[in-house]
């Protein structure tokens, strides 16, 4: 592993001490995954617990071809649902796909299972992950239940800007529709409406939020 990845390990797992770091160096696999690549799918046996070094990963379920997003894994975080599967039969209950080119550290689930006994303090990592993911899911539910579609579309765009760091951000109308569980035609009408209201602009470069302050407050 190079210096950057060693720094990632120090930041994430340094509190566990040198014995754990040596174990991690022995078993961890660092890999680069292209954007829009499926990492796991519902019903698949999980072989690894992923930790994201850079990029972003979308975790979601599918219903009649429509996506329901649970949360996004951001740099230095892990997929809690994948970790949770090691307590049952290692079977994934979700889909996970890279949103952009990503660098990921993979830990074999069998090794992680042993570490929970050998290094019990590692649970602190996953308690923190649980807190973050629970908040993400609650925000998703609140958004779906209490906000109108135009607000949900605007929030989704702001979320993608925060994840990618790009404003404008490249998003197709179909992609937004799939992620929000609606149709492309409906999304196109909503985008035109909020563009006319001065919230966004749509260009060849993508969709841009016109007030950067609104993005920071999201």
């Amino acid at each position: 592993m190079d210096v950057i990845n060693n720094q990632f390990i120090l930041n994430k797992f340094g509190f566990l001490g040198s014995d754990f770091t040596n174990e991690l160096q022995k078993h961890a696999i660092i890999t680069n995954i292209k954007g829009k690549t499926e990492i796991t799918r519902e019903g698949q046996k999980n072989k690894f617990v992923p930790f994201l070094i850079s990029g972003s990963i979308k975790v979601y379920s599918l219903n009649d071809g429509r996506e329901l997003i649970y949360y996004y894994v951001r740099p230095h975080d892990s997929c809690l649902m994948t970790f949770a599967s090691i307590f049952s039969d290692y079977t994934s209950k979700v889909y996970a796909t890279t949103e952009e080119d990503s660098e990921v550290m993979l830990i074999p689930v069998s090794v992680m299972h042993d570490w929970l006994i050998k290094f019990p303090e590692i649970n602190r990592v996953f308690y923190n992950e649980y807190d973050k993911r629970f908040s993400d899911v609650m925000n998703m539910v609140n958004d779906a239940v209490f906000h109108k579609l135009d607000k949900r579309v605007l929030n989704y765009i702001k979320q993608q800007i925060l994840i990618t760091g790009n404003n404008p951000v490249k998003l197709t109308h179909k992609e937004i529709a799939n992620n929000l569980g609606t149709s492309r035609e409906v999304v196109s009408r909503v985008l035109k409406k909020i563009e006319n209201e001065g919230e966004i602009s749509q260009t060849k470069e993508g969709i841009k939020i016109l007030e950067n302050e609104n993005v920071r407050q999201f």
Side-chain angles (χ1 to χ4, degrees):
M1 301 180 188
D2 58 31
V3 174
I4 294 176
N5 291 328
N6 281 333
Q7 188 61 46
F8 162 76
I9 290 171
L10 181 63
N11 291 341
K12 190 74 176 179
F13 302 103
F15 71 96
L16 289 166
S18 59
D19 286 347
F20 180 81
T21 302
N22 292 335
E23 287 271 328
L24 197 59
Q25 295 277 15
K26 187 189 305 181
H27 295 287
I29 301 168
I30 303 293
T31 185
N32 293 300
I33 303 176
K34 290 288 187 183
K36 309 304 179 185
T37 299
E38 186 179 84
I39 298 175
T40 189
R41 58 173 38 236
E42 185 179 357
Q44 176 180 307
K45 291 287 186 180
N46 288 322
K47 297 180 180 179
F48 300 96
V49 176
F51 289 87
L52 189 63
I53 298 173
S54 63
S56 65
I57 297 172
K58 176 175 65 178
V59 180
Y60 59 99
S61 63
L62 283 177
N63 186 5
D64 293 331
R66 292 184 175 180
E67 296 178 0
L68 176 63
I69 299 173
Y70 292 129
Y71 54 83
Y72 288 90
V73 181
R74 297 178 174 84
H76 296 190
D77 289 344
S78 179
C79 177
L80 183 67
M81 297 292 283
T82 303
F83 172 73
S85 73
I86 72 176
F87 297 107
S88 53
D89 58 359
Y90 298 168
T91 301
S92 177
K93 295 180 175 61
V94 295
Y95 293 81
T97 301
T98 53
E99 283 284 274
E100 56 187 318
D101 292 352
S102 301
E103 187 176 20
V104 181
M105 181 176 73
L106 303 173
I107 307 296
V109 291
S110 58
V111 172
M112 184 62 72
H113 200 278
D114 292 340
W115 284 351
L116 290 172
I117 299 171
K118 189 174 181 180
F119 303 98
E121 289 235 336
I122 198 175
N123 283 289
R124 283 172 49 189
V125 173
F126 296 103
Y127 293 150
N128 290 333
E129 295 292 330
Y130 175 83
D131 184 58
K132 293 177 187 176
R133 300 293 81 82
F134 183 76
S135 295
D136 287 343
V137 172
M138 288 302 297
N139 288 336
M140 179 271 293
V141 172
N142 288 334
D143 203 35
V145 172
F146 297 114
H147 290 162
K148 294 181 179 179
L149 187 57
D150 55 351
K151 180 67 172 178
R152 292 175 60 202
V153 169
L154 196 58
N155 283 347
Y156 178 77
I157 296 168
K158 291 176 181 178
Q159 183 183 55
Q160 295 304 305
I161 289 172
L162 288 176
I163 289 171
T164 64
N166 298 324
N167 187 23
V169 62
K170 281 282 189 182
L171 293 169
T172 67
H173 294 193
K174 181 173 177 56
E175 180 181 357
I176 297 172
N178 287 342
N179 287 329
L180 296 182
T182 185
S183 68
R184 181 186 59 79
E185 293 78 11
V186 170
V187 167
S188 296
R189 289 198 296 270
V190 169
L191 287 173
K192 190 63 179 176
K193 173 179 178 291
I194 59 180
E195 184 174 30
N196 290 338
E197 292 172 349
E199 296 275 6
I200 65 169
S201 65
Q202 300 183 80
T203 67
K204 292 180 180 179
E205 287 71 37
I207 302 174
K208 182 177 182 179
I209 297 291
L210 297 180
E211 282 291 337
N212 288 334
E213 186 64 29
N214 288 340
V215 178
R216 288 196 294 270
Q217 290 175 353
F218 170 68

